[in-house]
């Protein structure tokens, strides 16, 4: 392996070799046309990327294809709503298309068409109920208020959750259709007048809508647990997917706030609860019913399912010493329209990471010790389909070979770097961030020279023991890292830039709109020659290099064990308090909890032992590559220990015992969801018999975590 | 790594270093007392082995403990049967104990007690139905003949299947109790007179019985899928295990042919079908009912379940270059009585393998390149419990680290070496057998100098393409290799000596009897200073050395692919013939079958590519250890590809898509059981709707195999 002094200089050179100008060129290349997954246009984009990667020096660049169920609108007959009075007179009709603002960038035929994928087709007519964010608690509140959703159309605001979950709840509560709309309270916070929205600002103009998917599963709906290879059997039918709640049975369409206004302003019924009021300039009512009685809304949704080919793109920089260990960089390339932010801000940056790496190799003779694998996923927008099928196909190889998965979905803001990852990677993520120059002149002037400096200022630490760690979320279900972490137990980092004023989540005002074209990147939020894009690329490249070249893979098991014991288990002990008062049915569970504490203490102890071993091997004269590799394997397999495929085999999102995607919102993640679900169930059990069963289930769930911790202890030891 | 010339001489030296005299000493040491799993006596035996392994030079020798549900009789009140006439007069009462023949070897208190483990306790009384071997087809035949098993006691001959399956079928058909007996037709084939049975021959004397377990699962009944660590939660209760058919609900006891005679000779009813007649000197009747009407048989069975500690023993010879790759040697040490054959013929041989290896290391400076791991399992007799819990606990580590598992349960005969293994290991098993000197003077005289020469003579090839391969069965559920192969996909070899006249299965006349003491080994079947035991040990040691030292792990993927395509799939095509006649419902399945053929052809093609790579690396000057290791990993992961945990997650015995333990008989193995079950189901489906569903299920099952083959193709390639 390359010696330390030389490595540092390679890192620096790599960072310097990344050029914003190239990212800009690639962004223009990739976003010249709308490119929805499964279309000819997207096929062409895939080929552009393939050629670009080859040109940029990647090895073994190729497609990995699947045949999956996608969904399309009728591009010639846009979906729309009509407001019809009792006499059949159309009071208002939306036109189903967002207006083009820059014809040169946005003028492709039908580019502005408004739709969501996997909606059922339908011409349903009914009254409207305003359902706020469409979360479970919102529907429960409506129920409490005596407002019937069943038989009516649910009108739901975007934000605060995944749209597919909103539609799922609406369907469960009996809605016959769903309108999703972007409220100015979310997307035009500085006002809806021209001066404060696109193209004069980052906020949504009046005709814009958020597109998206309402699929309620990760991966192809017809091939659960198996890769959607064309020659394999599709084990599920569309009807079965509908029956299982994976595809909605009702029509869904998105509206702009201009169109939503026309409905909401006419709505009668009770006033909305105070916090449900949105940003349109009148007082919202809940419905159902309109001021002009007998008025209804008709949804006109055309939609068809199609089995189409999708193509992931894979390319490599082969590792010199451990070619079979993969540091994986991933981003998707399919988009709802032009995708200049989501995802091609990331796509163009990834292509530049590849170029800068091979340039650095050519200049210095460097080659990473482990393989760096580049992935560009297809059909992410439809439900992480490309990456999920890939993980399903290569599960065993990834299990054995993957070191880490580094995801960038998009770069949409310029306030601060922001990373979601798991505790074992906090150290390395923070270390690398400290080496990346700050792209913002305004920050540098204030003495914040690196992206880390702005990051810790913007999102200050919430780890009492580690004030130097900025806030980091656990990665959830919003992008292609999901299958890697939650299905297989591969450590992941998902990162981007965020605006501090937005929620610490994943949206930006023009998300999935027609206006995601290069003007937005170049002239609205990253005006200094895409310096922010570049910084993200620099972090990406340098983090990959560190994972590829460190003799011992920089996954910090001690901090993992500390977090488990001092945060997660400590929280759990607190959350056990309601069970303390004389519930004999929780006796077994309490015993398992106290056993779990002991297991975690032992895990922490063993992690210190491991650190001693690592110290020994990293002494200057110790050049035993075999030992480094073996030690790295032991470190890597810790995360795999927390994957248990037996508990809920049908639901891969629930395999990871510590981190899983929330049932209530795909964009959120839960810690130890199996245990917490069992606690809820215990508390809510009414009869003695149910209580006893719930207590046993809780004991069982804790025991699963124990077994995983014991596996982690076993796996970091040298021998069984 | 050691060069080739030197390696050969190390192999030779290792083979020569094994001494029969030592095996004899160890056998005496281990079999001095009865040692049932979970008892103080067995604990002592465990400690003896631990100390012996340490003395013999193994490293890191330690116990791995579990707390599992075992079962015991009342040793002071032996189980027995009484034949009682209508007046309550006892016509015959068995005494429940086998007579001691050599007091010095067999005289421990209660050693002769007759029982089977996990019987329900009970004092059931009823009439007898003779059920032949108690297989499914036997009970179906009785049903056809109009003989009611329900409400009666099933009297079943040992042999032709696992006793637990016999009891399971009897219970399913409504029997209120089961008597298992050893018929002279199986256990005293040369006559029951003294001259032709033990101690004058290898056949069962009149008072002997076969003990055993009737547990209907592998591993601890109370902790399915998780290791039975004392601090983990036991997810299943005894009542749940009974309800699930894992523990029998009825009393079961074993009888000698002396006691069985007393029942059978009194039995009335129809004459038995011709092939059901046994070896007792009268014509068998089916029952129910006795010649003296009103006579009944009363079973008196005392039995209790107990949670007890069991202890596996693990020890190592650490590998020099790849210490984290384990070549695993395994045998169990718990026994039903003294266990001089089952299992301690193997136990004593394994201890000698350890000693001979460390002696060879001391003499030559050799140390294996990979780690050699020695395992002595506890509670195998109860249902492979020690090894199954171990695999459950260390599943992830074994998945990553295990190279091969080499099992010897016992050495019980002297005709010929016999190995059960999977096709990818045929080459190496045959190669090594050719290097092991023949222990039989009578064979050497005939020019058969190696164990291979006798083997190919005794069990001639049934592989047309490889006439040099003796018949080899696929390993089934009879010993500790099961969890390794069927649960995790680790290649296994299970070997021993067999007598050619016995079935090519796993029993010998004195199996699980009181008479398994050292006299049997030393003076009946291995009289030349335990030369046969030694030969088994030599094969074991040399095979382990080959797996530990070969730069590329000697698993032959090409032959695996050939067997899959030219044997398994060819058979499947033939077995599809009944589906050919106009069944449109089988259309999908036929398409998948033709896709599978293409996948297998591609697998074969890729395996040739792999061979080219191996050839390159094995050229004299190629010393790239990293590349060898990586290539070996690719080879090893092929078998893992055939493990699919999602299809029947609750049943780990069904995880291996190609090889699984038969549902009808634990001692048999099935190829592609999921597919064949689906074919049966298709053929037996009566309605159109069922036929359609069965056709889809069949397509799905074939597609699972396809996906596994595709995984194998992916995994032997260098990159995704």
């Amino acid at each position: 392996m390359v010696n330390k002094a030389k490595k540092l200089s390679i890192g620096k050179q790599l960072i310097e070799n990344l050029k914003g100008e190239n990212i800009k060129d690639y962004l223009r290349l990739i976003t010249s046309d709308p490119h929805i997954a499964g279309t000819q246009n997207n096929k062409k984009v895939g080929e552009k990327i393939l050629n670009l990667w080859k040109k940029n020096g990647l090895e073994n660049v190729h497609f990995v294809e699947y045949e999956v169920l996608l969904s399309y609108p009728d591009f010639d007959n846009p979906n729309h709503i009509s407001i019809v009075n009792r006499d059949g007179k159309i009071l208002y009709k939306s036109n189903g298309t967002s207006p083009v603002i820059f014809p040169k960038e946005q003028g492709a035929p039908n580019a502005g068409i408004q739709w969501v994928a996997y909606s059922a087709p339908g011409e349903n007519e009914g009254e409207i109920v305003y359902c706020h964010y469409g979360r479970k608690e919102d529907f429960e509140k409506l129920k409490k208020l005596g407002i019937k959703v069943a038989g009516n159309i649910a009108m739901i605001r975007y934000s605060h959750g995944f749209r597919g979950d909103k539609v799922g709840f609406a369907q469960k509560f009996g809605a016959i259709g769903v309108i999703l709309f972007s409220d100015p309270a979310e997307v035009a916070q500085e006002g809806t007048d021209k001066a404060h929205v696109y193209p004069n600002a980052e906020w949504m103009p009046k005709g814009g809508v958020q597109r998206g998917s309402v699929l309620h599963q990760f991966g192809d709906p017809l091939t659960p647990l198996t890769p959607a290879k064309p020659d394999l059997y599709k084990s599920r039918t569309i009807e079965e997917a509908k029956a299982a709640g994976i595809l909605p049975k009702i029509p869904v369409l998105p509206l702009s706030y201009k169109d939503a206004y026309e409905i909401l302003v006419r709505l009668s019924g009770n006033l909305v609860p105070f916090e449900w009021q949105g940003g349109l300039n009148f007082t919202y009512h809940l419905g159902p019913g309109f001021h002009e009685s007998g008025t209804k809304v008709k949804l006109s949704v055309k939609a068809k399912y199609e089995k189409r080919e999708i193509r992931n793109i894979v390319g490599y920089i082969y590792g010199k010493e451990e070619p079979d260990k993969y540091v994986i960089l991933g981003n998707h390339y399919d988009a709802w329209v032009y995708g200049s932010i989501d995802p091609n801000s990331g796509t163009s940056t990834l292509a530049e990471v590849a170029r800068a790496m091979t340039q650095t190799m050519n200049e210095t003779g460097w080659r990473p010790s482990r393989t760096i694998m580049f992935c560009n996923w297809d059909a992410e927008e439809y439900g992480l389909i490309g990456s999920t099928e890939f993980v399903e196909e290569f599960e065993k190889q990834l299990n054995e070979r993957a070191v880490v998965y580094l995801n960038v979905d998009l770069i949409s803001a310029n306030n601060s770097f922001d990373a979601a990852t798991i505790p074992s990677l906090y150290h390395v993520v923070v270390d690398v961030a400290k080496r990346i120059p700050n792209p913002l002149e305004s920050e540098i002037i204030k003495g914040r020279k690196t992206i880390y400096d702005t990051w810790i200022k913007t999102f200050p630490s919430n780890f009492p023991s580690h004030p130097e760690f900025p806030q980091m979320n656990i990665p959830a279900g919003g992008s292609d890292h999901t299958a890697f972490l939650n299905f297989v137990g591969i450590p992941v980092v998902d990162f981007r830039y965020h605006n501090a004023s937005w929620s610490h989540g994943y949206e930006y005002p023009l998300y999935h709109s027609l206006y995601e074209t290069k003007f937005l990147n170049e002239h609205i939020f990253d005006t200094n020659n895409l310096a922010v894009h570049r910084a993200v690329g620099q972090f990406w490249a340098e983090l990959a290099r560190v994972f590829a070249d460190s003799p011992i893979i920089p996954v910090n098991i001690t901090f993992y064990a500390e977090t488990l014991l001092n945060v997660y288990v400590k929280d759990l002990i607190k959350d056990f308090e309601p069970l303390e008062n004389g519930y004999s049915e929780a006796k077994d569970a309490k015993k398992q909890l106290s056993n779990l504490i002991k297991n975690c203490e032992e895990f922490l102890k063993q992690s210190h032992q491991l650190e001693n071993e690592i110290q020994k091997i990293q002494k200057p004269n110790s050049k035993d590559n075999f030992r480094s590799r073996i030690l790295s394997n032991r470190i890597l397999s810790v995360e795999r220990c927390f994957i248990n495929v037996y508990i809920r085999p049908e639901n891969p999102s629930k395999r990871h015992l510590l981190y899983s995607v929330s049932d209530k919102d795909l964009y959120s993640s839960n810690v130890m969801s199996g245990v917490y679900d069992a606690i809820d169930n215990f508390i809510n059990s009414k009869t003695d018999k149910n209580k006893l069963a719930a207590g046993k289930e809780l004991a069982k769930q804790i025991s699963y975590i124990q077994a995983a911790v014991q596996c982690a202890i076993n796996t970091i030891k040298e021998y069984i």
Side-chain angles (χ1 to χ4, degrees), chain A:
Chain A
M1 285 186 197
V2 186
N3 70 48
K4 209 176 173 186
K6 204 172 166 194
K7 251 196 298 184
L8 277 179
S9 78
I10 283 166
K12 271 196 180 155
Q13 194 156 340
L14 177 59
I15 288 169
E16 275 162 26
N17 280 342
L18 262 119
K19 299 289 176 240
E21 204 51 61
N22 291 329
I23 299 174
K24 202 182 274 184
D25 289 346
Y26 303 155
L27 186 67
R28 281 165 190 257
L29 176 77
I30 295 167
T31 64
S32 62
D33 296 290
H35 48 289
I36 303 169
T39 63
Q40 277 304 315
N41 269 358
N42 201 43
K43 196 165 184 182
K44 278 184 215 154
V45 169
E47 272 147 22
K48 284 180 188 176
I49 296 168
L50 184 96
N51 292 327
L52 180 58
W53 282 13
K54 284 182 181 169
K55 202 187 86 189
N56 283 358
L58 295 189
E59 297 157 295
N60 190 12
V61 182
H62 63 279
F63 292 117
V64 178
E65 291 108 350
Y66 301 97
E67 183 197 67
V68 303
L69 189 76
L70 301 181
S71 155
Y72 300 95
D74 180 345
F75 286 97
D76 299 320
N77 294 292
N79 302 331
H80 58 273
I81 57 107
S82 319
I83 307 176
V84 189
N85 75 4
R86 80 169 70 172
D87 306 321
K89 193 183 148 196
I90 294 178
L91 305 179
Y92 180 79
K93 189 177 163 215
S94 69
N95 76 0
T97 305
S98 296
V100 171
I101 292 174
F102 292 108
K104 235 176 120 180
E105 292 189 7
Q106 298 158 355
N110 305 319
I113 193 170
Q114 299 167 350
W115 63 294
V116 298
Y118 298 112
S119 166
E123 300 280 321
N124 296 3
E125 193 176 80
E127 299 197 325
I128 297 285
V129 175
Y130 172 72
C131 306
H132 194 36
Y133 292 128
R135 298 164 299 190
K136 198 178 174 202
E137 61 262 39
D138 299 324
F139 285 101
E140 280 166 354
K141 182 143 198 176
L142 283 169
K143 203 175 163 187
K144 259 193 200 152
L145 293 171
I147 312 291
K148 223 180 96 186
V149 172
N152 293 317
I153 294 167
M155 179 125 185
I156 301 175
R157 264 160 82 167
Y158 272 127
S159 175
H160 288 77
F162 167 57
R163 76 188 74 73
D165 291 316
K166 296 169 192 268
V167 172
F169 288 124
Q171 185 174 297
K172 223 174 265 172
F173 281 83
I176 61 164
V178 175
I179 293 168
L180 296 162
F181 75 103
S182 300
D183 193 284
E186 273 81 42
V187 300
Q189 294 181 358
E190 295 172 2
T192 58
D193 56 305
K194 274 201 164 182
H196 291 104
V197 300
Y198 182 87
N200 299 309
E202 69 204 6
W203 302 102
M204 185 80 95
K206 64 179 179 170
V209 308
Q210 177 192 129
R211 289 153 195 77
S213 168
V214 294
L215 179 66
H216 222 268
Q217 179 191 278
F218 301 121
D220 176 36
L222 304 187
T223 59
L225 300 173
T226 46
K229 302 303 284 183
D231 64 343
L232 295 182
Y233 188 63
K234 299 199 188 301
S235 63
R236 195 191 265 149
T237 64
I238 290 172
E239 287 316 305
E240 286 165 350
K242 284 188 171 182
I246 290 157
L247 296 173
K249 296 174 188 168
I250 55 178
V252 185
L253 90 177
L255 289 187
S256 66
Y257 56 79
K258 170 178 153 278
D259 290 332
Y261 174 90
E262 299 290 342
I263 297 173
L264 290 173
V265 78
R266 289 176 166 86
L267 208 57
S268 64
N270 294 345
L271 287 182
V272 301
F274 177 72
E275 67 281 11
W276 288 29
Q277 174 67 38
L280 292 168
N281 193 17
F282 55 84
T283 308
Y284 290 19
H285 290 71
L286 289 173
F290 290 88
H291 295 307
E292 185 184 338
S293 107
T295 300
K296 295 204 167 175
V297 168
K298 187 176 161 194
L299 308 182
S300 297
V301 177
K302 295 192 193 306
K304 51 186 178 170
Y305 304 113
E306 298 213 8
K307 287 179 199 161
R308 294 269 180 100
E309 184 189 69
I310 62 168
R311 308 196 295 180
N312 297 326
I313 311 165
V314 170
Y316 292 92
I317 295 174
Y318 293 146
K320 194 166 62 178
E321 312 204 10
E322 297 188 76
D324 66 329
K325 290 292 170 187
Y326 304 161
V327 174
I328 309 174
L329 281 57
N331 155 267
H332 70 99
Y333 69 91
D334 67 303
W336 287 123
V337 200
Y338 292 90
S340 80
I341 290 187
D342 184 0
N344 302 130
S345 56
T347 318
S348 46
T349 303
L350 183 59
E352 175 60 4
V353 168
R355 198 207 54 75
M357 278 193 176
T358 59
Q359 181 190 341
T360 309
M361 289 166 66
N362 293 337
E363 287 168 356
T364 64
W366 167 73
R367 178 175 277 279
S369 176
R370 301 187 183 88
T371 288
I372 300 178
M373 181 185 195
F374 291 76
C375 297
N376 241 163
W377 311 114
D378 200 352
E380 188 267 3
E381 292 295 359
Y382 278 83
L384 318 183
I385 293 183
S387 58
T388 300
E389 297 308 313
F390 184 86
V391 170
E392 285 175 353
E393 179 171 11
F394 299 104
E395 181 180 335
K396 299 209 191 233
Q397 289 77 46
L398 291 169
N399 205 5
E400 199 170 327
R401 302 178 191 174
V403 171
V404 70
Y405 175 76
L406 309 178
N407 191 67
V408 173
D409 193 304
L410 54 88
I411 302 141
S412 62
N414 58 20
N415 269 199
S416 172
F417 177 81
D418 186 23
T421 186
I422 57 173
S424 53
L425 303 192
Y426 285 178
H427 289 81
V428 65
V429 164
V430 166
D431 278 358
V432 169
K434 287 178 179 171
R435 299 209 284 274
I436 307 303
N438 205 319
L440 305 169
E441 287 299 335
S442 57
E443 289 290 292
I444 294 169
I445 287 166
K446 290 173 194 147
R448 293 191 278 274
K449 292 191 176 153
T450 70
I451 63 171
Y452 169 79
D453 298 330
T454 301
W455 184 22
I456 187 76
K457 176 86 170 41
T458 315
F459 300 111
S461 181
N462 55 4
F463 303 96
S465 67
H466 288 265
E468 78 282 15
F469 289 169
Q471 274 178 49
M472 285 177 261
N473 285 338
I474 299 298
S479 190
D480 293 302
H481 54 269
T482 303
F484 288 88
L485 175 63
N486 300 107
F487 293 19
V488 192
I490 295 165
V492 308
V493 191
D494 180 43
F495 52 98
R496 60 179 63 187
Y497 256 66
H498 255 111
N499 278 2
S501 60
W502 302 340
S503 73
H504 198 33
Y506 286 119
E507 291 180 26
Y508 51 94
L510 293 166
Y511 175 60
H512 289 186
S513 77
L514 172 62
Y515 311 112
E516 284 195 30
T517 57
K518 61 186 174 6
F519 179 85
L520 176 58
N521 308 53
E522 292 177 15
H523 299 291
I524 295 190
F525 79 89
D526 199 11
T527 52
N528 180 18
N529 207 19
L530 298 189
V532 173
H533 287 64
R534 180 177 181 237
V536 170
Q538 290 169 323
F539 178 83
W540 213 349
E542 174 62 358
L543 188 61
R545 191 195 63 79
V546 167
F547 273 106
D549 273 354
S550 301
I552 304 290
I553 287 170
V555 171
N556 190 318
I557 299 305
T558 304
F559 190 63
Y560 202 75
E562 275 174 23
T563 307
L564 185 55
L565 181 63
N566 298 330
V567 182
Y568 304 156
V569 171
K570 209 168 171 184
D571 285 350
L572 187 58
I573 293 169
K574 229 170 64 191
D575 294 321
F576 249 67
E577 281 168 15
L579 282 61
E580 291 299 330
N581 300 321
Y583 283 129
S584 65
E585 298 90 346
K587 189 173 51 96
D588 287 351
K590 285 176 204 164
K591 191 179 149 200
Q592 294 315 128
L593 179 58
S594 84
N595 290 350
L596 174 62
I597 296 167
K598 281 179 217 140
N599 296 146
C600 292
E601 286 164 351
E602 175 66 18
F603 181 29
L604 187 56
K605 203 180 113 191
Q606 289 295 336
S607 74
H608 289 134
Q609 288 279 13
L610 179 75
E611 281 200 357
N612 290 341
E613 272 193 74
I614 294 172
Q615 294 307 326
K616 263 186 238 162
I617 223 172
Q618 286 186 325
K619 278 183 193 159
N621 285 330
S622 168
K623 286 221 158 207
D624 187 340
N625 293 356
F626 249 96
R627 275 206 59 71
S628 302
R629 179 177 164 100
I630 291 168
L631 211 52
S632 291
N633 278 348
R634 286 158 55 196
I635 290 169
L636 275 181
S637 52
V638 167
E639 193 65 37
R640 316 293 202 260
C641 280
F642 289 90
I643 296 292
N644 183 326
V645 297
Y646 304 121
I647 305 174
R648 290 184 56 184
E650 81 297 348
N651 189 346
S653 308
K654 298 290 171 188
R655 279 183 203 162
H656 199 302
L657 293 174
L658 296 184
Y659 308 123
S660 57
V661 176
S662 165
D663 279 334
K664 293 177 196 153
D665 172 24
L666 175 147
Y667 295 149
S668 307
S669 95
N670 289 326
V671 169
M672 293 191 195
S673 69
V675 173
Y676 280 98
D677 288 351
I679 291 178
D680 286 352
N681 188 31
F682 182 85
I683 289 170
N684 295 327
S685 295
K686 303 296 179 210
T687 67
D688 283 1
K689 198 184 146 193
N690 289 351
K691 206 100 191 157
L692 196 65
K696 287 177 79 168
E697 178 60 27
L698 179 54
K700 208 194 279 187
Q701 291 292 339
I702 296 171
S703 186
Y704 289 137
I705 310 253
Q706 282 184 262
V709 175
Q710 293 180 5
C711 173
I713 293 166
N714 290 334
T715 221
I716 58 175
K717 286 187 189 167
E718 188 158 14
Y719 293 100
I720 286 171

